[in-house]
């Protein structure tokens, strides 16, 4: 590569985001620069590398590049050195700060660099304010409170100059010191004008917001503390260099009682400890993480794979001990270097951090402080509904009386009485010698308990035991009832399906011969249930139709039949009949006061509703009737119904409640709900919360191994980041998606994310990189045999190279555009017409930029008319405006006037292109020697002649 090419590469690298990618590019460039033997380029590249290493999370490497530049500057001064003197003096601050964070670097070495910094500042006539600040930092680090106070006063009383830290970073260090010395109110007061101003430093406002977390909290400003946490962490979370500050956010979550969120943050950044920016950052984060994990109880944490260590779920307690040992060991190394015990004492305080004060909700996805699964959760009704009265069972009730009561209660969905009767039975008769029939009855009901708890294996074994006992004593009817129940349980698995269906059918046939009407109905309902589990909808419906119509007057059984019927008809697509069955079940549920039936029917009604408002109303009723253990699916259904009804703002609250319930119940699947919640937040424009929740969702989906869903959520998150203006995180996600979608079946999706990355880069004025992304997207579209999409990506690439001022690349891109366009010529679909016309327009712009004006104008022939024919009026006006500009440049102002007047007359008065078109028309009038008309046009559109 030529020197000019290398300088161009350097400029491109400078535009890259800080991080591993930029560092890799810089190191590759340095190897090429050294081979080229251009001292100026070598110096500037290493100056850039110093900053790249500092902000990219590898500060130790900056010591080498800084020393090289300083030696070059001192050893053989060159004219270009003076242009970089300010930057070189600024880099001294990086060095002092960085050396302090590595315990293997003697403290004398840090003092020597600081002394050299002071000498150079004095010689250059600069203020010593920054020198005093860094002497304060060293004193504070080693725990010399008296010296720290001295240097702090000098720092604050020495005038600022252009080498002082920025208007955000200087106050950040002040806030940290004031907070550490118990002056929280002063810290907050100091920061207020800073936050009200404009901060554009790489480290701000996230650094000062992080410093304010505890001062805000300790001065009763909970809302400000929460907002500071959310905004600052969002800006920090993708930067390895900010691991120290991320540790502060973990600690803040722990202190405020947000243990679950603290652990989520630890889990998200845990693998950064495998490649920390510095031992100091590793020490601080490890201590904060250990304190958080000690509050996590018996939970586990997902730890990603590293060299020599596979990915695994690890005990939070074991990991806490490991991280505490890491933090304490590093603190001891710093103290050995410093000759004090300050770091060990400070780390011990960090490790002892616990929740204190009132809980401050931080999460955008969990409303309450999660309590975990509680044993009585399923017994509680929703707040405000009251509880069932305590069951008063007769003291003289015999064993069969209690078991019959339990049986009847189970059929009526009365779980409270069901459990109370069984508890009474076990207390009164559990150790008694009972008849075989009674023992069989108890076994059958115990099987029902296990089935309700989803312990299917135990339920099957208990039913088998009950069936055997009933058959041994010749109790045929109860034996057939148990056989039918056993058949339903077996039908839930592929392995037991055949046996289960046979048992259920044979039991129903036997009950048809010997059972009463209710028992016959129950037998056919069980057959239908077994078939339903096998998704044999039509057969299940036929079985249900065999049940006696009135179920012997058992309205609870009728409600169950109506519920099953509604489900089966819905699955068969017989919507009107399904609605009728749902309405019947819902009415029976209301009359009987059985919340379970009402909830099931209302949720089915919501799914079947044509009108989204009706779906929401059905969910509202379900929510009113839902017992605590049924609230989660109702909340999810209601949230989705509200979203479909255009009420995304209301949907957010239900999704948040659903996530909260999911976490409290340890129900699993909260990652999927967070994904939906993130989408809802995005819909209502709450992008910061959307980003936070989507990040949680991606982490959870990755942990579950659900890569396809995780990637779809990453795609959502990339769009959210783009909406927040966070270009680099959005691009990082899209790049990751492009890697993940590497299979041949994923070509269209891979191309899509590459094209989206190109669009984000183009909007961010990183046009050369955008051109590369568009070219990569186009190649994937070509491989996927999608020529129209390829044409669009090629066209957008041509625009990008044009704006990147790379004329040759733009012209090459146009050649490829023309080749792809030729394969689509003659197709009449509007989408093809549009892309062919826009390809011609893009080519015209590129040719215009290359000075080939006649060719450019020729490409536009007929383009506006084709665009208007498909309703693309604004694009047609854009093409005509370009044609008018080309006519002016070709010295054909009369033709330009006619064209531009037509364009201007067709544009809405408030359209953005009006001023541009008016300016071109005024220019045409000038060239036609009609200055009065030109002046009037400029006055009408508030144009300056020099615009």
């Amino acid at each position: 590569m030529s020197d000019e090419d290398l300088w161009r590469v350097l400029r491109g690298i400078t535009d890259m985001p800080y991080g591993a990618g930029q560092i890799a590019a810089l190191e590759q460039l340095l190897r090429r620069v050294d081979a080229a033997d251009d001292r100026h380029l070598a110096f500037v590249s290493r100056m850039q590398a110093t900053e790249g290493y500092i902000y990219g999370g590898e500060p130790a490497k900056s010591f080498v590049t800084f020393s090289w530049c300083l030696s070059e500057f001192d050893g053989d001064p060159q004219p270009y050195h003076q242009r970089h003197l300010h930057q070189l003096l600024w880099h001294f601050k990086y060095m002092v700060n960085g050396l302090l964070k590595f315990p293997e670097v003697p403290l004398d070495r840090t003092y020597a660099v600081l002394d050299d910094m002071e000498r150079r500042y004095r010689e250059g006539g600069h203020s010593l304010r920054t020198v005093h600040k860094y002497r304060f930092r060293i004193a504070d680090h080693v725990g010399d409170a008296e010296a720290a106070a001295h240097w702090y006063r000098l720092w604050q009383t020495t005038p600022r100059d252009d080498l002082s830290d920025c208007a955000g970073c200087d106050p950040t260090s002040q806030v940290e010191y004031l907070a550490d010395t118990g002056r929280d109110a002063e810290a907050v007061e100091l920061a207020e004008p800073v936050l009200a101003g404009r901060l554009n430093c790489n480290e701000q406002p996230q650094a000062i917001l992080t410093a304010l977390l505890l001062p805000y909290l300790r001065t009763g400003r909970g809302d400000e503390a929460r907002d500071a946490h959310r905004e600052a962490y969002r800006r920090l979370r993708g930067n390895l260099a900010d691991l120290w500050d991320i540790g502060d956010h973990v600690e803040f979550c722990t202190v405020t009682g947000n243990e679950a969120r603290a652990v989520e943050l630890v889990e998200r950044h845990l693998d950064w400890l495998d490649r920390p920016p510095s031992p100091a950052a590793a020490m601080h984060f490890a201590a904060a993480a250990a304190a958080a994990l000690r509050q996590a109880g018996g939970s586990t944490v997902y730890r990603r794979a590293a060299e020599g260590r596979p990915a695994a779920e690890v005990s939070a307690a074991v990991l806490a001990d490991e991280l505490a040992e890491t933090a304490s060991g590093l603190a001891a190394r710093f103290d050995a270097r410093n000759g004090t015990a300050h770091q060990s004492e400070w780390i011990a305080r960090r490790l002892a951090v616990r929740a204190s004060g009132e809980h401050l909700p931080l999460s955008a996805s969990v409303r309450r402080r999660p309590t975990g699964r509680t044993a009585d959760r399923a017994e509680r009704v929703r707040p405000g509904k009251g509880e069932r009265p305590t069951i008063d069972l007769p003291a003289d009730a015999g064993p069969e009386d209690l078991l019959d009561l339990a049986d009847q209660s189970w059929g009526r969905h009365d779980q409270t009485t069901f459990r109370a009767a069984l508890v009474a039975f076990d207390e009164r008769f559990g150790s008694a010698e009972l008849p075989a029939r009674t023992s069989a009855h108890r076994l059958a009901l115990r099987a029902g308990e296990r089935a309700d708890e989803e312990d299917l294996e135990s339920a099957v074994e208990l039913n088998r035991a009950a069936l055997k006992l009933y058959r041994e004593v010749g109790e045929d009817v109860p034996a057939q009832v148990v056989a039918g129940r056993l058949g339903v349980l077996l039908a839930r698995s592929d392995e037991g399906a055949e046996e289960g269906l046979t048992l259920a059918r044979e039991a129903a046939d036997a009950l048809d011969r010997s059972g009463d009407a209710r028992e016959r109905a129950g037998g056919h309902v069980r057959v239908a249930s077994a078939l339903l589990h096998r998704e044999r909808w039509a057969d299940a419906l036929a079985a249900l139709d065999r049940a006696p119509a009135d179920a012997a007057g058992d309205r609870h059984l009728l409600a169950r039949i109506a519920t099953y019927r509604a489900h089966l008809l819905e699955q068969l697509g017989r919507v009107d009949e399904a609605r009728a069955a749902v309405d019947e079940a819902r009415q029976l549920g209301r009359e009987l006061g059985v919340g379970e039936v009402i909830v099931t029917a209302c949720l089915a009604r919501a799914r079947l509703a044509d009108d989204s408002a009706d779906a929401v109303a059905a969910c509202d009723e379900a929510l009113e009737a839902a017992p605590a253990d049924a609230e989660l699916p109702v909340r999810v259904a209601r949230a989705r119904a509200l979203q479909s009804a255009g009420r995304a703002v209301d949907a957010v609250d239900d999704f948040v409640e659903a996530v909260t319930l999911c976490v409290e119940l340890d129900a699993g699947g909260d990652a999927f709900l967070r994904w939906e919640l993130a989408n809802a937040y995005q819909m209502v424009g709450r992008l910061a919360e959307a980003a936070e929740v989507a990040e949680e969702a991606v982490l959870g989906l990755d942990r579950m191994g659900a890569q396809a869903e995780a990637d779809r959520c990453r795609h959502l998150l990339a769009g959210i980041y783009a909406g927040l203006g966070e270009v680099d995180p959005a691009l990082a996600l899209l790049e990751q998606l492009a890697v993940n979608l590497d299979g041949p079946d994923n070509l269209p999706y891979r191309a899509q994310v590459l094209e989206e990355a190109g669009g984000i880069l183009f909007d961010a004025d990183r046009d050369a990189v955008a051109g590369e992304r568009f070219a990569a997207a186009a190649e994937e579209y070509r491989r996927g045999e999608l020529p129209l999409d390829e044409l669009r990506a090629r066209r957008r690439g041509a625009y990008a190279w044009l704006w990147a001022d790379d004329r040759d690349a733009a012209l090459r891109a146009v050649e490829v555009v023309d080749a792809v366009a030729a394969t689509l010529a003659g197709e009449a679909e509007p989408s093809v017409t549009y892309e062919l016309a826009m390809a011609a327009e893009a080519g015209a712009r590129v040719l215009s930029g290359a000075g080939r004006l006649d060719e450019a104008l020729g490409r536009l022939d007929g383009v506006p008319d084709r665009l208007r024919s498909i309703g693309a009026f604004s694009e047609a006006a854009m093409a005509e405006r370009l044609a008018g500009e080309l006519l002016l440049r070709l010295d054909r102002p009369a033709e330009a006037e006619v064209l531009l007047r037509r364009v201007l007359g067709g544009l809405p008065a408030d359209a953005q292109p009006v001023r541009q078109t008016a300016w071109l028309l005024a220019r045409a009038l000038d060239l036609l020697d009609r200055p009065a008309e030109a002046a009037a046009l400029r006055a009408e559109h508030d144009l300056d002649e020099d615009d």
Side-chain angles (χ1 to χ4, degrees), residues 56-70:
E58 298 187 41
K61 293 181 177 180
S62 73
F63 304 156
V64 177
T65 52
F66 172 79
S67 298
W68 189 97
C69 290
L70 192 64

Side-chain angles (χ1 to χ4, degrees), residues 321-563:
D321 289 343
E322 177 189 327
L323 296 179
E325 184 178 350
T326 296
S328 299
L330 286 168
R333 289 177 58 197
F334 277 107
D335 286 341
R337 181 201 56 187
N338 300 339
T340 70
H342 179 67
Q343 291 297 315
S344 293
E345 292 167 357
W346 183 76
I347 285 298
R349 291 194 295 273
R350 303 279 71 72
L351 291 170
V353 164
R354 299 290 183 271
S356 61
E358 186 177 349
H359 172 60
L360 177 68
L362 298 178
S363 175
S365 59
V366 179
R367 187 183 305 281
R368 299 181 295 276
R369 183 174 184 172
T371 57
R373 173 174 282 173
T374 56
D376 64 342
R377 171 84 189 177
E379 309 298 334
R380 299 202 312 267
V381 295
R382 293 190 306 108
K385 289 179 66 79
E387 298 184 0
R388 291 181 186 270
T390 302
I391 304 302
D392 187 13
L393 299 173
D396 59 350
E400 282 297 337
D401 296 328
L402 291 171
L403 294 178
D404 286 342
L405 176 60
D407 225 339
Q408 294 161 11
S409 302
W410 193 26
R412 294 195 300 265
H413 304 277
D414 182 355
Q415 289 290 317
T416 302
T417 305
F418 172 69
R419 295 181 188 281
L422 293 180
V423 168
F425 175 91
D426 291 340
E427 289 175 349
R428 298 177 192 180
F429 308 108
S431 59
E433 191 75 27
L434 298 169
R437 183 187 188 285
T438 304
S439 296
H441 199 177
R442 181 63 183 101
L443 285 169
L445 290 170
R446 197 180 302 282
E449 290 181 283
R450 297 295 177 269
D452 286 347
E453 295 164 1
E454 292 296 315
D455 183 358
L456 301 186
E457 185 177 347
S458 296
V460 166
E461 292 308 311
L462 288 165
N463 267 322
R464 288 193 190 279
L467 179 59
K468 180 181 179 183
L469 273 178
Y470 273 133
R471 284 175 173 168
E472 287 175 356
V473 298
E475 291 284 352
D476 186 57
V477 170
Q480 300 304 338
V481 171
V482 171
R485 291 174 182 168
L486 176 58
V488 173
L489 290 171
L490 289 169
R492 293 176 66 172
S493 69
D494 292 339
E495 297 80 7
E498 185 175 347
E499 180 191 0
L501 289 172
T502 300
L503 276 171
R505 284 175 173 144
E506 290 177 351
D509 291 342
L511 290 171
D512 272 345
R513 294 190 298 272
S514 57
D516 59 25
R518 181 180 178 280
E519 290 160 346
R520 293 197 300 275
H524 293 297
V525 168
R526 285 186 285 275
V527 173
S529 179
L531 289 163
L532 185 149
H533 286 305
R534 306 314 305 161
E535 298 186 3
R536 292 169 56 177
W537 316 123
D539 292 341
L541 188 60
L544 211 57
D545 288 340
R546 293 182 61 191
D550 64 350
D554 187 336
R555 293 170 63 76
H556 289 87
L557 185 55
L558 278 175
R560 185 177 301 170
I561 291 171
T563 301

Side-chain angles (χ1 to χ4, degrees), residues 6 66 132 143 209 258 379 421 554 614 696 709 715 724 841 847 863 921:
L6 292 173
F66 172 79
H132 298 329
L209 289 172
N258 290 273
E379 309 298 334
D554 187 336
D614 292 341
E696 295 169 355
E709 292 80 3
H715 191 235
L724 286 165
E841 193 270 352
L847 291 169
V863 167
L921 179 55

